[in-house]
Amino acid sequence: MSIWEYANPVRFMRTSAVLLPWVSVGAALCLSVGLIWGFFFTPDDYRQGSTVKIIYLHVPSAMMAINIWAMMLVTSLIWVIRRHHVSVLAAKAAAPIGAIMTMIALATGAIWGQPMWGTWWEWDPRLTAFLILFLFYLGYIALWAALENPDTAADLTSIVCLVGSVFAVISRYAINFWNQGLHQGASLSLDAEENVSDVFWQPLVLCIVGFILLFVALLLVRTRTEIRARRLMALKLRERTA
Amino acid sequence: MELRVTDLSCRRGGILVLKGVNFALRSGQALVLRGPNGVGKTTLLRTIAGLQPAASGDVTSPDDAIAYAGHADGLKAALTVRDNLNFWASAYGTKDITPALQAFDLAPLLDRQAQDLSAGQKRRLGLARMVVTGRSIWIFDEPTVSLDTHNTQLFADMVRKHLTNGGIALLATHINLGLPDAESLDLSSFRALAESQAETDDAFLAEGF
Amino acid sequence: MRALLRRDLALAVRAGGGFGLSLAFFLILVTLVPFGVGPQSELLGRIAPGILWVGALLACLLSLDRLFQLDWEDGSLDLLAVSPLPMEGVVATKALAHWLTTGLPLTIAAPLFGVLLNLPIPGYLWLFLSLLIGTPALSVIGSFGAALTVGLKRGGLLLSLLVLPLYVPTLIFGAEVVRRAVDGMTLLTSLAMLGGITMAAWALLPFAAAAAIRINLR
């Protein structure tokens, strides 16, 4: 059996129906344990005090914001190359989730930035890049909403996703060049000296896993909705032409 | 030279409208497509012209042989008759626009801007454009709309001349143009049935949801 | 291809083509800024590079939705699609015509408008050069957006939403060149990046735009 069989809507609906409860429970479990652990059972940072604890929302949402776009790029390309409807509907379903993740990352960043840098908003490269990413999400969603024919919309949004990805990378580089910034380096990396210490790290990983599972659960729900909407459309169409 | 359409199915707005269309035209032959509104004449012509992909089946013709004239004439209102024709002549790599002018008596209008032409005159200019393409397979979608009897006659003459020169013409029209040995094809019999609807949506119509 | 360029230029310059419109828009924008930020010439001089670049960008955007829309409405886009001209070439030619009728006049007028904003002396040459190198990218990126929205009745707003984020790198490097020139800093990196983006955009985007048009036509 090949992986492409899941691109069949019926097959996808059946599998996702089985998966959905497990993923949802997993997400709820990871998030509640991770967040409670992180908020109440970790010490305050010696420099940043308790404000550091927003990291448990900020870092996972920021990671998701970028990775969801990457996922949309992959599924859009699968649509362009292999014409699997479920694939492009998954991209469509993922976009609003990605936009919300970007918003969470921006909002938590602003809330964290206020006590740290003394300002709600700073045109820091990372923050700016996320703002631009948010605009990309909006454009992508708006194009889906504007086009009536689902196949035309799928093709055009896939092109936008592809071109947007290239420009997102260029923009990231350009923004770095434009302003060196206040933001600390990535919180998680393998070699950095200033990595967050273990006490913070463990609940953070749990939160990240929770966010990933939450995304998968939401994605499954939304993709199922999109498939049903599409089925409804096809059924209506058949009725009208009968 | 031959235009061959094999088992062609066409889709309009995601709906399959025509199924299993077959015909072949050789040099000097014309085919008139008939059928009620909405049967898919325009869709078929656009598919053959290559503007939209076929749902299935094949269209075979020599390379760079097809010229297409749709409902809209593609005229630029701010340009003169001469400039409009010259533009298409150079797009198709031909030079001479005089045959086109003669075919439709356009010489007196040569320096008139397209926006100052009447609807019938615009149509004549749009149809004359086909002559400057220098292509051998002509596809017309409702060519005689807004033409008077005299100009309809001119149009029929133009097509007849094209056919005697070894060209091919494919038309969708309700008017009898009096073309010799033009066959006609009623598309009603190729209408796609609801059961064979929209292959792209097949996956969504399956049972077992 | 040359015939298409000539036709588009002729249409832009004739009545109703909106040739001077973007230039007038640029002038209005530059006039309005001092009303918004106050008349201090020192402040205006400092923000002039950014204002002029943002102004050029918006003025460029103004005429984009007409790029393919008119050809779509009168049916000539269909006819161009079945003509021997490759769609990629049609897109590139139309983008070039757009640049010649908006980007280039804006580039030439920009130093003049710089005077209104008290742009410091060292900035003028580089303002002109950066716009000359950067505005072609605006036209071709815009043609991609116009190709995406060509079938839509009210595509103008969506076009802005799609295109403006793509303008970010060009804007950053373009304005950076002028700012660095004003501050007397080395500006070759920014200029090279600006040129690189323009060339890459011209090399790749006509293909994406042509694909979008073909999808919209079917």
Side-chain angles (χ1 to χ4, degrees):
Chain A
M1 200 203 89
S2 91
I3 185 171
W4 300 114
E5 286 192 26
Y6 290 100
N8 176 313
V10 180
R11 176 97 213 187
F12 179 88
M13 290 301 269
R14 262 192 231 135
T15 317
S16 59
V18 177
L19 279 179
L20 192 53
W22 294 98
V23 179
S24 310
V25 169
L29 221 62
C30 286
L31 276 181
S32 44
V33 172
L35 287 179
I36 292 171
W37 183 0
F39 283 160
F40 301 109
F41 299 98
T42 54
D44 288 353
D45 185 78
Y46 73 96
R47 273 181 303 149
Q48 307 194 0
S50 60
T51 57
V52 75
K53 290 181 174 178
I54 204 166
I55 198 174
Y56 301 112
L57 289 174
H58 182 67
V59 170
S61 59
M63 285 176 73
M64 292 318 289
I66 295 171
N67 288 319
I68 290 173
W69 185 274
M71 177 224 119
M72 283 160 56
L73 175 63
V74 172
T75 50
S76 296
L77 284 176
I78 291 175
W79 158 253
V80 171
I81 296 163
R82 300 201 50 146
R83 313 301 283 181
H84 286 306
H85 284 90
V86 173
S87 176
V88 77
L89 288 180
K92 182 188 183 186
I97 311 174
I100 295 296
M101 289 292 179
T102 319
M103 258 174 75
I104 296 175
L106 283 171
T108 51
I111 294 168
W112 196 1
Q114 212 287 325
M116 283 303 97
W117 307 332
T119 168
W120 293 101
W121 182 261
E122 184 64 42
W123 287 95
D124 159 90
R126 268 168 194 261
L127 286 181
T128 313
F130 269 84
L131 191 61
I132 302 295
L133 182 63
F134 186 60
L135 293 176
F136 276 105
Y137 274 120
L138 288 188
Y140 179 89
I141 296 168
L143 191 60
W144 261 111
L147 293 158
E148 274 167 33
N149 183 306
D151 279 1
T152 307
D155 284 337
L156 291 181
T157 51
S158 298
I159 295 178
V160 165
C161 192
L162 181 64
V163 172
S165 304
V166 176
F167 272 87
V169 173
I170 302 174
S171 301
R172 183 75 183 91
Y173 178 82
I175 290 166
N176 261 343
F177 181 85
W178 166 73
N179 188 348
Q180 308 305 331
L182 299 165
H183 202 289
Q184 61 190 3
S187 303
L188 289 177
S189 67
L190 293 175
D191 57 331
E193 285 271 305
E194 55 173 320
N195 243 343
V196 287
S197 62
D198 279 354
V199 217
F200 301 116
W201 202 75
Q202 287 151 353
L204 182 56
V205 168
L206 209 55
C207 283
I208 291 171
V209 173
F211 263 78
I212 294 172
L213 290 176
L214 175 66
F215 164 66
V216 174
L218 289 173
L219 180 67
L220 289 179
V221 173
R222 291 186 53 84
T223 311
R224 286 168 65 82
T225 313
E226 291 294 343
I227 290 175
R228 287 207 176 102
R230 192 60 201 274
R231 175 172 160 81
L232 190 66
M233 226 171 98
L235 286 173
K236 272 186 179 164
L237 224 149
R238 184 162 71 176
E239 199 178 49
R240 223 184 314 141
T241 49
Chain B
M1 193 184 50
E2 191 183 50
L3 171 68
R4 179 178 286 280
V5 168
T6 336
D7 217 14
L8 190 68
S9 305
C10 323
R11 215 179 275 141
R12 178 179 58 217
I15 311 170
L16 201 65
V17 288
L18 289 171
K19 203 169 177 239
V21 181
N22 279 296
F23 62 80
L25 290 172
R26 279 191 310 282
S27 286
Q29 286 187 318
L31 180 69
V32 178
L33 299 177
R34 295 189 193 279
N37 292 132
V39 76
K41 295 188 290 292
T42 298
T43 309
L44 178 62
L45 293 181
R46 286 177 66 88
T47 308
I48 294 172
L51 279 167
Q52 55 187 71
S56 64
D58 282 310
V59 177
T60 44
S61 69
D63 287 341
D64 296 331
I66 294 180
Y68 167 80
H71 289 237
D73 292 315
L75 303 176
K76 287 295 165 192
L79 298 183
T80 60
V81 170
R82 186 201 306 271
D83 289 344
N84 268 303
L85 280 178
N86 270 331
F87 166 67
W88 290 110
S90 37
Y92 281 88
T94 55
K95 286 270 135 46
D96 196 9
I97 61 167
T98 17
L101 294 173
Q102 279 162 1
F104 271 111
D105 239 353
L106 286 168
L109 304 172
L110 205 51
D111 291 308
R112 198 85 80 76
Q113 287 193 338
Q115 62 199 0
D116 301 330
L117 299 180
S118 74
Q121 288 168 330
K122 279 183 191 157
R123 191 89 261 228
R124 275 153 65 193
L125 178 52
L127 295 173
R129 189 187 61 83
M130 295 296 267
V131 179
V132 304
T133 61
R135 293 285 171 98
S136 43
I137 301 175
W138 286 0
I139 298 179
F140 293 98
D141 195 357
E142 301 286 1
T144 54
V145 171
S146 61
L147 288 186
D148 56 21
T149 31
H150 171 64
N151 284 305
T152 309
Q153 206 46 55
L154 285 182
F155 171 68
D157 290 344
M158 175 179 110
V159 174
R160 211 172 294 130
K161 193 172 163 203
H162 180 63
L163 295 177
T164 32
N165 289 340
I168 290 175
L170 180 61
L171 310 95
T173 180
H174 297 283
I175 292 181
N176 189 2
L177 289 168
L179 296 171
D181 30 86
E183 290 174 49
S184 71
L185 184 70
D186 192 342
L187 288 181
S188 313
S189 50
F190 299 107
R191 204 176 283 197
L193 297 168
E195 296 85 76
S196 60
Q197 205 39 259
E199 286 108 74
T200 47
D201 284 342
D202 256 7
F204 293 98
L205 291 170
E207 294 306 313
F209 270 82
Chain C
M1 220 65 92
R2 211 178 302 148
L4 181 62
L5 181 63
R6 230 177 301 129
R7 183 191 78 149
D8 269 26
L9 291 179
L11 286 173
V13 179
R14 299 266 163 99
F19 172 60
L21 227 57
S22 45
L23 215 57
F25 177 78
F26 194 19
L27 175 63
I28 288 174
L29 211 83
V30 170
T31 316
L32 287 181
V33 168
F35 292 134
V37 302
Q40 304 91 332
S41 56
E42 187 261 344
L43 173 66
L44 284 175
R46 223 175 50 237
I47 60 173
I51 300 294
L52 289 167
W53 252 97
V54 172
L57 194 142
L58 292 177
C60 201
L61 191 69
L62 200 65
S63 48
L64 274 179
D65 61 330
R66 301 165 58 99
L67 196 57
F68 299 113
Q69 195 70 34
L70 296 179
D71 283 327
W72 158 273
E73 279 162 9
D74 66 18
S76 31
L77 202 57
D78 276 350
L79 300 181
L80 282 170
V82 294
S83 80
L85 307 176
M87 193 43 90
E88 289 78 7
V90 170
V91 171
T93 310
K94 285 179 115 13
L96 179 62
H98 179 263
W99 181 70
L100 288 174
T101 50
T102 56
L104 189 61
L106 288 177
T107 304
I108 295 168
L112 221 64
F113 296 163
V115 177
L116 292 179
L117 292 177
N118 292 300
L119 182 72
I121 299 295
Y124 287 94
L125 173 66
W126 293 104
L127 174 69
F128 176 76
L129 285 177
S130 69
L131 282 171
L132 190 66
I133 295 172
T135 45
L138 301 183
S139 287
V140 78
I141 294 171
S143 74
F144 170 63
L148 286 172
T149 53
V150 71
L152 298 170
K153 288 198 184 59
R154 310 182 66 87
L157 215 59
L158 181 60
L159 175 68
S160 323
L161 182 59
L162 288 170
V163 160
L164 284 176
L166 303 182
Y167 279 171
V168 168
T170 304
L171 174 63
I172 287 179
F173 289 116
E176 184 80 15
V177 167
V178 188
R179 241 181 308 149
R180 281 172 175 255
V182 170
D183 296 344
M185 295 197 293
T186 164
L187 47 74
L188 279 179
T189 320
S190 320
L191 199 65
M193 289 305 298
L194 187 65
I197 290 168
T198 301
M199 283 191 275
W202 273 91
L204 300 176
L205 280 179
F207 293 95
I213 288 184
R214 281 196 211 99
I215 290 163
N216 267 323
L217 282 181
R218 41 170 217 233

